[in-house]
């Protein structure tokens, strides 16, 4: 309420009566002690008490909370992924969670309906980022960078139907690695595939393989099959669903929903059911239809070179040349790839869907130019690791194995069996913290020793430091192994050194 100056007691009483009346505008005249008159209008709306309607407390559809136990697993996964990115010389980068809508819509086309749009009070039209690739291209153009090897970890948002049981969400984390710049063909592309293999092998997810194709080959295939050029991207988007749908369902979408002639769809179907290795690449070179397309021959030439490098990297057996792979995003221009975990025999027997791709990427040579006012181009190739799907798999494996998860990294617990030792415990724990040792204590003045022991056992804290009257008088401490319950007496001044020695032996 604005300051009205001193009011007479009667005026305050009148104001109180007004406020207790049914809601309406109240006009109050205030008279100052120096015969100055000020007038203020206050609007009071006294709401009658209403009970809250019944509602369910939950997170929005397609999102989730992560418990401390889940965060431990997630951080371990992220640590392995980021360590691999750093091992290959990538620099860290971060970009805003939202971008200008106009910068996103033209880059996704068929997928722009899946973006979350925001309203900004400043008048800008904004959308939550759909992936980390387009923001990276914008960053390169805005900063006039011609070369960069970067990684980025961050959340992205897609307004699609979630499949939580398969690790698919509307809000999810991506881990991207990209190489930008002019380089000799297929060397950066081969490194990206090597990185995918290193990460999936390191995470011990089981068997996997990586499907590869080339968007130039896809476009050439469409052309020789009779797909109208205006439908290339939308048919690509349909073909990209072959990992989730049968060919019959994909064909129905192409014909019934996207207007493709049935005989054209059948010709496309002849190609997309082919998959193999380098021998299939060489076989496609001899195909009389594909040989009529210079674009398809370019793609096949790069794929042949790619397989040579993958053989040198020792990962060719993990790569499958698959003509059904399309990668529906519009910015891909060359080699594309997608890592897949095949379903286990138990899953196959139940005819359950697998979690789909756990990593994907490809070459996008013209995306940066779309952001540059002068159209300067920076060729790029990259990959994205599907953290949520990997997390879903790791979490399920841990549940089946019954593995116990520590949610803290506490190494030492400071305890006492007697009263009035809070000061000594505080001195001890400060000494441990200052030495870089992870330590805890109970936030009670006089905790019971049994309570402290139970806390350590429940939290799997390996060591306990105990101080009492006898220890204080003798200048010593007791060091207890929580798991074995063995205790040793050590000199007070040797505390840090003894703990560091024991932790190094673990």
């Amino acid at each position: 309420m604005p300051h009205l100056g001193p009011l007479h007691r009667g005026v305050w009483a009148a104001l109180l009566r007004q406020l207790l009346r049914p809601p309406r505008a109240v006009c109050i005249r205030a008279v100052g002690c120096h015969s100055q008159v000020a007038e203020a209008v206050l609007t009071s709306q006294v709401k009658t008490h209403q009970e809250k309607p019944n509602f369910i407390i939950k997170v929005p559809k397609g999102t989730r909370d992560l418990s401390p136990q889940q965060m431990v697993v997630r951080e371990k996964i992220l640590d392995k992924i980021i360590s691999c990115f750093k091992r290959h010389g990538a620099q860290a980068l971060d970009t805003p969670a939202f971008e200008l809508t106009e910068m996103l819509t033209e880059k996704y086309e068929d997928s722009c309906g899946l973006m979350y749009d925001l309203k900004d009070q400043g008048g800008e039209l904004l959308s939550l980022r759909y992936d980390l690739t387009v923001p990276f291209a914008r960053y390169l153009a805005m900063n006039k960078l011609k070369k960069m090897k970067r990684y980025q970890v961050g959340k992205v948002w897609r307004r699609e139907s979630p499949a939580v049981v398969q690790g698919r969400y509307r809000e999810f984390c991506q881990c991207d690695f990209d190489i930008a710049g002019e380089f000799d063909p297929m060397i950066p592309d081969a490194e990206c595939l090597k990185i995918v293999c290193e990460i999936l092998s390191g995470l011990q997810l089981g068997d996997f393989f990586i499907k590869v194709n080339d968007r130039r080959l896809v476009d050439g295939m469409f052309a020789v099959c009779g797909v109208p050029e205006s439908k290339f991207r939308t048919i690509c988007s349909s073909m990209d669903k072959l990992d989730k749908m049968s060919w019959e369902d994909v064909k129905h979408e192409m014909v019934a929903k996207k207007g493709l002639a049935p005989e054209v769809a059948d010709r496309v179907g002849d190609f997309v059911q082919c998959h193999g290795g380098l021998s299939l690449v060489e076989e496609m070179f001899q195909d009389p239809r594909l040989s009529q397309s210079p674009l398809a021959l370019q793609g096949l030439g790069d794929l042949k070179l790619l397989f040579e490098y993958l053989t040198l990297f020792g990962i060719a057996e993990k790569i499958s040349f698959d003509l059904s792979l399309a990668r529906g995003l519009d910015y891909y221009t060359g080699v594309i790839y997608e890592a897949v975990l095949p379903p286990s025999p138990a899953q196959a027997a139940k005819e359950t869907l697998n979690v789909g791709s756990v990593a994907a990427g490809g070459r996008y040579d013209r995306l940066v130019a779309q952001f540059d006012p002068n159209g300067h181009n920076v060729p790029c190739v990259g990959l994205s690791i599907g953290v949520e799907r990997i997390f879903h798999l790791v979490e399920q494996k841990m549940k089946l194995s019954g593995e116990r998860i520590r949610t803290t990294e506490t190494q030492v617990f400071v305890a006492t069996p007697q009263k009035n030792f809070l000061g000594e415990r505080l001195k001890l724990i400060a000494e441990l913290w200052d030495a870089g040792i992870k330590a805890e204590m109970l936030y009670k003045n006089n905790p019971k020793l049994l309570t402290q022991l139970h806390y350590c056992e429940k939290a799997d804290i390996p060591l306990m430091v105990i101080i009492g009257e006898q220890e204080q008088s003798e200048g010593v401490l007791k060091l207890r192994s929580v798991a074995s319950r063995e205790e040793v007496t050590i000199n007070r001044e040797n505390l840090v050194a003894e703990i560091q020695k024991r932790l190094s032996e673990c």
Side-chain angles (χ1 to χ4, degrees), residues 422-451:
L422 176 60
E424 292 301 318
R425 286 190 292 141
L426 291 175
K427 289 179 185 177
L428 282 173
I429 201 166
E431 185 177 340
L432 296 175
W433 287 337
D434 292 343
I437 296 171
K438 300 166 185 175
E440 277 190 83
M441 57 174 271
L442 290 189
Y443 303 134
K444 296 189 72 174
N445 198 345
N446 299 311
K448 293 180 179 179
L449 182 60
L450 187 59
T451 302

PDB file of all heavy atoms in Angstrom, residues 422-451:
ATOM      1  N   LEU A 422      30.725 -31.961  20.537  1.00  0.00           N
ATOM      2  CA  LEU A 422      30.428 -31.315  19.257  1.00  0.00           C
ATOM      3  C   LEU A 422      31.612 -30.493  18.772  1.00  0.00           C
ATOM      4  O   LEU A 422      31.971 -30.534  17.590  1.00  0.00           O
ATOM      5  CB  LEU A 422      29.181 -30.429  19.385  1.00  0.00           C
ATOM      6  CG  LEU A 422      28.810 -29.623  18.128  1.00  0.00           C
ATOM      7  CD1 LEU A 422      28.540 -30.551  16.951  1.00  0.00           C
ATOM      8  CD2 LEU A 422      27.608 -28.718  18.402  1.00  0.00           C
ATOM      9  N   GLY A 423      32.235 -29.732  19.660  1.00  0.00           N
ATOM     10  CA  GLY A 423      33.369 -28.901  19.270  1.00  0.00           C
ATOM     11  C   GLY A 423      34.510 -29.717  18.688  1.00  0.00           C
ATOM     12  O   GLY A 423      35.117 -29.330  17.676  1.00  0.00           O
ATOM     13  N   GLU A 424      34.828 -30.850  19.309  1.00  0.00           N
ATOM     14  CA  GLU A 424      35.917 -31.694  18.813  1.00  0.00           C
ATOM     15  C   GLU A 424      35.563 -32.309  17.466  1.00  0.00           C
ATOM     16  O   GLU A 424      36.414 -32.442  16.580  1.00  0.00           O
ATOM     17  CB  GLU A 424      36.228 -32.799  19.827  1.00  0.00           C
ATOM     18  CG  GLU A 424      36.847 -32.294  21.116  1.00  0.00           C
ATOM     19  CD  GLU A 424      38.147 -31.547  20.864  1.00  0.00           C
ATOM     20  OE1 GLU A 424      38.948 -32.026  20.021  1.00  0.00           O
ATOM     21  OE2 GLU A 424      38.355 -30.478  21.481  1.00  0.00           O
ATOM     22  N   ARG A 425      34.304 -32.701  17.314  1.00  0.00           N
ATOM     23  CA  ARG A 425      33.883 -33.261  16.023  1.00  0.00           C
ATOM     24  C   ARG A 425      33.987 -32.220  14.917  1.00  0.00           C
ATOM     25  O   ARG A 425      34.403 -32.525  13.791  1.00  0.00           O
ATOM     26  CB  ARG A 425      32.447 -33.787  16.118  1.00  0.00           C
ATOM     27  CG  ARG A 425      32.325 -35.088  16.902  1.00  0.00           C
ATOM     28  CD  ARG A 425      30.945 -35.692  16.764  1.00  0.00           C
ATOM     29  NE  ARG A 425      29.934 -34.879  17.420  1.00  0.00           N
ATOM     30  CZ  ARG A 425      28.709 -34.658  16.943  1.00  0.00           C
ATOM     31  NH1 ARG A 425      28.344 -35.195  15.787  1.00  0.00           N
ATOM     32  NH2 ARG A 425      27.835 -33.924  17.611  1.00  0.00           N
ATOM     33  N   LEU A 426      33.611 -30.987  15.225  1.00  0.00           N
ATOM     34  CA  LEU A 426      33.693 -29.917  14.235  1.00  0.00           C
ATOM     35  C   LEU A 426      35.149 -29.656  13.830  1.00  0.00           C
ATOM     36  O   LEU A 426      35.448 -29.418  12.649  1.00  0.00           O
ATOM     37  CB  LEU A 426      33.044 -28.641  14.772  1.00  0.00           C
ATOM     38  CG  LEU A 426      31.519 -28.688  14.944  1.00  0.00           C
ATOM     39  CD1 LEU A 426      31.028 -27.406  15.606  1.00  0.00           C
ATOM     40  CD2 LEU A 426      30.820 -28.894  13.604  1.00  0.00           C
ATOM     41  N   LYS A 427      36.060 -29.689  14.795  1.00  0.00           N
ATOM     42  CA  LYS A 427      37.476 -29.494  14.478  1.00  0.00           C
ATOM     43  C   LYS A 427      37.982 -30.623  13.582  1.00  0.00           C
ATOM     44  O   LYS A 427      38.703 -30.386  12.605  1.00  0.00           O
ATOM     45  CB  LYS A 427      38.301 -29.462  15.763  1.00  0.00           C
ATOM     46  CG  LYS A 427      38.116 -28.221  16.615  1.00  0.00           C
ATOM     47  CD  LYS A 427      38.963 -28.325  17.884  1.00  0.00           C
ATOM     48  CE  LYS A 427      38.708 -27.147  18.827  1.00  0.00           C
ATOM     49  NZ  LYS A 427      39.490 -27.298  20.085  1.00  0.00           N
ATOM     50  N   LEU A 428      37.603 -31.857  13.921  1.00  0.00           N
ATOM     51  CA  LEU A 428      38.062 -33.007  13.140  1.00  0.00           C
ATOM     52  C   LEU A 428      37.535 -32.967  11.709  1.00  0.00           C
ATOM     53  O   LEU A 428      38.277 -33.186  10.748  1.00  0.00           O
ATOM     54  CB  LEU A 428      37.612 -34.308  13.819  1.00  0.00           C
ATOM     55  CG  LEU A 428      38.410 -34.774  15.035  1.00  0.00           C
ATOM     56  CD1 LEU A 428      37.736 -35.982  15.683  1.00  0.00           C
ATOM     57  CD2 LEU A 428      39.833 -35.121  14.628  1.00  0.00           C
ATOM     58  N   ILE A 429      36.254 -32.702  11.560  1.00  0.00           N
ATOM     59  CA  ILE A 429      35.668 -32.741  10.220  1.00  0.00           C
ATOM     60  C   ILE A 429      36.199 -31.596   9.362  1.00  0.00           C
ATOM     61  O   ILE A 429      36.394 -31.745   8.152  1.00  0.00           O
ATOM     62  CB  ILE A 429      34.124 -32.738  10.282  1.00  0.00           C
ATOM     63  CG1 ILE A 429      33.549 -33.290   8.973  1.00  0.00           C
ATOM     64  CG2 ILE A 429      33.554 -31.349  10.578  1.00  0.00           C
ATOM     65  CD1 ILE A 429      32.077 -33.638   9.040  1.00  0.00           C
ATOM     66  N   ALA A 430      36.473 -30.440   9.989  1.00  0.00           N
ATOM     67  CA  ALA A 430      37.062 -29.328   9.237  1.00  0.00           C
ATOM     68  C   ALA A 430      38.451 -29.706   8.731  1.00  0.00           C
ATOM     69  O   ALA A 430      38.835 -29.367   7.599  1.00  0.00           O
ATOM     70  CB  ALA A 430      37.127 -28.078  10.106  1.00  0.00           C
ATOM     71  N   GLU A 431      39.198 -30.422   9.557  1.00  0.00           N
ATOM     72  CA  GLU A 431      40.538 -30.860   9.153  1.00  0.00           C
ATOM     73  C   GLU A 431      40.461 -31.820   7.966  1.00  0.00           C
ATOM     74  O   GLU A 431      41.277 -31.752   7.033  1.00  0.00           O
ATOM     75  CB  GLU A 431      41.224 -31.534  10.342  1.00  0.00           C
ATOM     76  CG  GLU A 431      42.667 -31.935  10.084  1.00  0.00           C
ATOM     77  CD  GLU A 431      43.326 -32.536  11.318  1.00  0.00           C
ATOM     78  OE1 GLU A 431      42.819 -32.307  12.438  1.00  0.00           O
ATOM     79  OE2 GLU A 431      44.356 -33.222  11.149  1.00  0.00           O
ATOM     80  N   LEU A 432      39.483 -32.710   8.005  1.00  0.00           N
ATOM     81  CA  LEU A 432      39.307 -33.651   6.898  1.00  0.00           C
ATOM     82  C   LEU A 432      38.896 -32.928   5.620  1.00  0.00           C
ATOM     83  O   LEU A 432      39.416 -33.201   4.535  1.00  0.00           O
ATOM     84  CB  LEU A 432      38.272 -34.714   7.279  1.00  0.00           C
ATOM     85  CG  LEU A 432      38.656 -35.634   8.447  1.00  0.00           C
ATOM     86  CD1 LEU A 432      37.505 -36.556   8.804  1.00  0.00           C
ATOM     87  CD2 LEU A 432      39.907 -36.452   8.108  1.00  0.00           C
ATOM     88  N   TRP A 433      37.922 -32.023   5.728  1.00  0.00           N
ATOM     89  CA  TRP A 433      37.486 -31.261   4.546  1.00  0.00           C
ATOM     90  C   TRP A 433      38.642 -30.483   3.943  1.00  0.00           C
ATOM     91  O   TRP A 433      38.814 -30.453   2.720  1.00  0.00           O
ATOM     92  CB  TRP A 433      36.361 -30.300   4.936  1.00  0.00           C
ATOM     93  CG  TRP A 433      35.045 -30.956   5.210  1.00  0.00           C
ATOM     94  CD1 TRP A 433      34.611 -32.167   4.754  1.00  0.00           C
ATOM     95  CD2 TRP A 433      33.978 -30.432   6.010  1.00  0.00           C
ATOM     96  NE1 TRP A 433      33.347 -32.438   5.217  1.00  0.00           N
ATOM     97  CE2 TRP A 433      32.929 -31.381   5.991  1.00  0.00           C
ATOM     98  CE3 TRP A 433      33.794 -29.262   6.739  1.00  0.00           C
ATOM     99  CZ2 TRP A 433      31.717 -31.183   6.662  1.00  0.00           C
ATOM    100  CZ3 TRP A 433      32.596 -29.065   7.408  1.00  0.00           C
ATOM    101  CH2 TRP A 433      31.570 -30.017   7.374  1.00  0.00           C
ATOM    102  N   ASP A 434      39.431 -29.839   4.796  1.00  0.00           N
ATOM    103  CA  ASP A 434      40.550 -29.035   4.307  1.00  0.00           C
ATOM    104  C   ASP A 434      41.598 -29.895   3.599  1.00  0.00           C
ATOM    105  O   ASP A 434      42.336 -29.402   2.747  1.00  0.00           O
ATOM    106  CB  ASP A 434      41.210 -28.267   5.454  1.00  0.00           C
ATOM    107  CG  ASP A 434      40.301 -27.172   6.023  1.00  0.00           C
ATOM    108  OD1 ASP A 434      39.329 -26.804   5.337  1.00  0.00           O
ATOM    109  OD2 ASP A 434      40.559 -26.704   7.156  1.00  0.00           O
ATOM    110  N   ALA A 435      41.663 -31.169   3.960  1.00  0.00           N
ATOM    111  CA  ALA A 435      42.601 -32.089   3.304  1.00  0.00           C
ATOM    112  C   ALA A 435      42.005 -32.724   2.053  1.00  0.00           C
ATOM    113  O   ALA A 435      42.643 -33.569   1.421  1.00  0.00           O
ATOM    114  CB  ALA A 435      43.015 -33.180   4.293  1.00  0.00           C
ATOM    115  N   GLY A 436      40.779 -32.313   1.697  1.00  0.00           N
ATOM    116  CA  GLY A 436      40.139 -32.848   0.499  1.00  0.00           C
ATOM    117  C   GLY A 436      39.465 -34.186   0.694  1.00  0.00           C
ATOM    118  O   GLY A 436      39.118 -34.869  -0.276  1.00  0.00           O
ATOM    119  N   ILE A 437      39.243 -34.581   1.933  1.00  0.00           N
ATOM    120  CA  ILE A 437      38.587 -35.855   2.243  1.00  0.00           C
ATOM    121  C   ILE A 437      37.090 -35.625   2.386  1.00  0.00           C
ATOM    122  O   ILE A 437      36.648 -34.669   3.032  1.00  0.00           O
ATOM    123  CB  ILE A 437      39.179 -36.462   3.531  1.00  0.00           C
ATOM    124  CG1 ILE A 437      40.650 -36.805   3.305  1.00  0.00           C
ATOM    125  CG2 ILE A 437      38.392 -37.700   3.960  1.00  0.00           C
ATOM    126  CD1 ILE A 437      41.389 -37.202   4.571  1.00  0.00           C
ATOM    127  N   LYS A 438      36.300 -36.499   1.797  1.00  0.00           N
ATOM    128  CA  LYS A 438      34.841 -36.368   1.841  1.00  0.00           C
ATOM    129  C   LYS A 438      34.339 -36.922   3.179  1.00  0.00           C
ATOM    130  O   LYS A 438      34.491 -38.122   3.437  1.00  0.00           O
ATOM    131  CB  LYS A 438      34.211 -37.121   0.677  1.00  0.00           C
ATOM    132  CG  LYS A 438      34.684 -36.593  -0.678  1.00  0.00           C
ATOM    133  CD  LYS A 438      34.335 -37.540  -1.813  1.00  0.00           C
ATOM    134  CE  LYS A 438      34.935 -37.046  -3.120  1.00  0.00           C
ATOM    135  NZ  LYS A 438      34.723 -38.009  -4.225  1.00  0.00           N
ATOM    136  N   ALA A 439      33.781 -36.048   3.992  1.00  0.00           N
ATOM    137  CA  ALA A 439      33.435 -36.437   5.359  1.00  0.00           C
ATOM    138  C   ALA A 439      32.053 -35.919   5.745  1.00  0.00           C
ATOM    139  O   ALA A 439      31.569 -34.918   5.211  1.00  0.00           O
ATOM    140  CB  ALA A 439      34.476 -35.920   6.337  1.00  0.00           C
ATOM    141  N   GLU A 440      31.438 -36.623   6.706  1.00  0.00           N
ATOM    142  CA  GLU A 440      30.118 -36.248   7.229  1.00  0.00           C
ATOM    143  C   GLU A 440      30.097 -36.421   8.742  1.00  0.00           C
ATOM    144  O   GLU A 440      30.948 -37.123   9.321  1.00  0.00           O
ATOM    145  CB  GLU A 440      29.029 -37.146   6.634  1.00  0.00           C
ATOM    146  CG  GLU A 440      28.509 -36.761   5.284  1.00  0.00           C
ATOM    147  CD  GLU A 440      27.279 -37.583   4.932  1.00  0.00           C
ATOM    148  OE1 GLU A 440      26.171 -37.203   5.387  1.00  0.00           O
ATOM    149  OE2 GLU A 440      27.426 -38.603   4.233  1.00  0.00           O
ATOM    150  N   MET A 441      29.087 -35.825   9.369  1.00  0.00           N
ATOM    151  CA  MET A 441      28.776 -36.054  10.774  1.00  0.00           C
ATOM    152  C   MET A 441      27.294 -35.758  10.950  1.00  0.00           C
ATOM    153  O   MET A 441      26.671 -35.139  10.084  1.00  0.00           O
ATOM    154  CB  MET A 441      29.610 -35.145  11.679  1.00  0.00           C
ATOM    155  CG  MET A 441      29.460 -33.662  11.381  1.00  0.00           C
ATOM    156  SD  MET A 441      30.312 -32.595  12.553  1.00  0.00           S
ATOM    157  CE  MET A 441      29.026 -32.383  13.788  1.00  0.00           C
ATOM    158  N   LEU A 442      26.725 -36.217  12.044  1.00  0.00           N
ATOM    159  CA  LEU A 442      25.320 -35.924  12.325  1.00  0.00           C
ATOM    160  C   LEU A 442      25.178 -34.511  12.882  1.00  0.00           C
ATOM    161  O   LEU A 442      26.007 -34.064  13.674  1.00  0.00           O
ATOM    162  CB  LEU A 442      24.748 -36.929  13.324  1.00  0.00           C
ATOM    163  CG  LEU A 442      24.545 -38.364  12.821  1.00  0.00           C
ATOM    164  CD1 LEU A 442      23.779 -39.174  13.864  1.00  0.00           C
ATOM    165  CD2 LEU A 442      23.815 -38.410  11.487  1.00  0.00           C
ATOM    166  N   TYR A 443      24.115 -33.839  12.471  1.00  0.00           N
ATOM    167  CA  TYR A 443      23.878 -32.465  12.920  1.00  0.00           C
ATOM    168  C   TYR A 443      23.159 -32.458  14.264  1.00  0.00           C
ATOM    169  O   TYR A 443      22.097 -31.874  14.416  1.00  0.00           O
ATOM    170  CB  TYR A 443      23.065 -31.697  11.884  1.00  0.00           C
ATOM    171  CG  TYR A 443      23.701 -31.654  10.512  1.00  0.00           C
ATOM    172  CD1 TYR A 443      22.946 -31.905   9.380  1.00  0.00           C
ATOM    173  CD2 TYR A 443      25.042 -31.370  10.361  1.00  0.00           C
ATOM    174  CE1 TYR A 443      23.525 -31.868   8.125  1.00  0.00           C
ATOM    175  CE2 TYR A 443      25.630 -31.324   9.113  1.00  0.00           C
ATOM    176  CZ  TYR A 443      24.866 -31.572   7.993  1.00  0.00           C
ATOM    177  OH  TYR A 443      25.444 -31.528   6.746  1.00  0.00           O
ATOM    178  N   LYS A 444      23.734 -33.138  15.243  1.00  0.00           N
ATOM    179  CA  LYS A 444      23.176 -33.159  16.596  1.00  0.00           C
ATOM    180  C   LYS A 444      24.295 -32.932  17.591  1.00  0.00           C
ATOM    181  O   LYS A 444      25.439 -33.364  17.374  1.00  0.00           O
ATOM    182  CB  LYS A 444      22.470 -34.492  16.879  1.00  0.00           C
ATOM    183  CG  LYS A 444      21.245 -34.752  16.007  1.00  0.00           C
ATOM    184  CD  LYS A 444      20.466 -35.970  16.483  1.00  0.00           C
ATOM    185  CE  LYS A 444      19.734 -35.666  17.774  1.00  0.00           C
ATOM    186  NZ  LYS A 444      18.855 -36.776  18.191  1.00  0.00           N
ATOM    187  N   ASN A 445      23.945 -32.286  18.682  1.00  0.00           N
ATOM    188  CA  ASN A 445      24.941 -31.988  19.701  1.00  0.00           C
ATOM    189  C   ASN A 445      25.432 -33.259  20.376  1.00  0.00           C
ATOM    190  O   ASN A 445      26.637 -33.471  20.530  1.00  0.00           O
ATOM    191  CB  ASN A 445      24.351 -31.017  20.732  1.00  0.00           C
ATOM    192  CG  ASN A 445      25.419 -30.332  21.563  1.00  0.00           C
ATOM    193  OD1 ASN A 445      26.564 -30.759  21.583  1.00  0.00           O
ATOM    194  ND2 ASN A 445      25.040 -29.259  22.241  1.00  0.00           N
ATOM    195  N   ASN A 446      24.502 -34.117  20.747  1.00  0.00           N
ATOM    196  CA  ASN A 446      24.855 -35.339  21.465  1.00  0.00           C
ATOM    197  C   ASN A 446      24.184 -36.556  20.832  1.00  0.00           C
ATOM    198  O   ASN A 446      23.242 -37.132  21.391  1.00  0.00           O
ATOM    199  CB  ASN A 446      24.451 -35.221  22.939  1.00  0.00           C
ATOM    200  CG  ASN A 446      25.162 -34.084  23.652  1.00  0.00           C
ATOM    201  OD1 ASN A 446      26.385 -33.955  23.567  1.00  0.00           O
ATOM    202  ND2 ASN A 446      24.398 -33.244  24.351  1.00  0.00           N
ATOM    203  N   PRO A 447      24.622 -36.975  19.667  1.00  0.00           N
ATOM    204  CA  PRO A 447      23.993 -38.136  19.019  1.00  0.00           C
ATOM    205  C   PRO A 447      24.383 -39.438  19.715  1.00  0.00           C
ATOM    206  O   PRO A 447      25.460 -39.553  20.304  1.00  0.00           O
ATOM    207  CB  PRO A 447      24.563 -38.090  17.606  1.00  0.00           C
ATOM    208  CG  PRO A 447      25.902 -37.434  17.761  1.00  0.00           C
ATOM    209  CD  PRO A 447      25.735 -36.433  18.871  1.00  0.00           C
ATOM    210  N   LYS A 448      23.509 -40.429  19.605  1.00  0.00           N
ATOM    211  CA  LYS A 448      23.807 -41.741  20.177  1.00  0.00           C
ATOM    212  C   LYS A 448      24.760 -42.482  19.237  1.00  0.00           C
ATOM    213  O   LYS A 448      24.663 -42.380  18.012  1.00  0.00           O
ATOM    214  CB  LYS A 448      22.522 -42.538  20.352  1.00  0.00           C
ATOM    215  CG  LYS A 448      21.578 -41.948  21.396  1.00  0.00           C
ATOM    216  CD  LYS A 448      20.321 -42.797  21.530  1.00  0.00           C
ATOM    217  CE  LYS A 448      19.383 -42.212  22.593  1.00  0.00           C
ATOM    218  NZ  LYS A 448      18.139 -43.011  22.724  1.00  0.00           N
ATOM    219  N   LEU A 449      25.695 -43.236  19.827  1.00  0.00           N
ATOM    220  CA  LEU A 449      26.675 -43.953  19.020  1.00  0.00           C
ATOM    221  C   LEU A 449      25.993 -44.959  18.097  1.00  0.00           C
ATOM    222  O   LEU A 449      26.394 -45.107  16.929  1.00  0.00           O
ATOM    223  CB  LEU A 449      27.684 -44.671  19.920  1.00  0.00           C
ATOM    224  CG  LEU A 449      28.794 -45.432  19.181  1.00  0.00           C
ATOM    225  CD1 LEU A 449      29.612 -44.488  18.312  1.00  0.00           C
ATOM    226  CD2 LEU A 449      29.684 -46.182  20.164  1.00  0.00           C
ATOM    227  N   LEU A 450      24.962 -45.640  18.573  1.00  0.00           N
ATOM    228  CA  LEU A 450      24.273 -46.626  17.742  1.00  0.00           C
ATOM    229  C   LEU A 450      23.639 -45.956  16.514  1.00  0.00           C
ATOM    230  O   LEU A 450      23.674 -46.503  15.407  1.00  0.00           O
ATOM    231  CB  LEU A 450      23.209 -47.352  18.569  1.00  0.00           C
ATOM    232  CG  LEU A 450      22.522 -48.542  17.883  1.00  0.00           C
ATOM    233  CD1 LEU A 450      23.559 -49.595  17.489  1.00  0.00           C
ATOM    234  CD2 LEU A 450      21.452 -49.131  18.796  1.00  0.00           C
ATOM    235  N   THR A 451      23.083 -44.769  16.718  1.00  0.00           N
ATOM    236  CA  THR A 451      22.491 -44.027  15.591  1.00  0.00           C
ATOM    237  C   THR A 451      23.558 -43.693  14.557  1.00  0.00           C
ATOM    238  O   THR A 451      23.330 -43.800  13.339  1.00  0.00           O
ATOM    239  CB  THR A 451      21.841 -42.727  16.090  1.00  0.00           C
ATOM    240  OG1 THR A 451      20.841 -43.044  17.067  1.00  0.00           O
ATOM    241  CG2 THR A 451      21.203 -41.961  14.950  1.00  0.00           C
TER     242      THR A 451
END
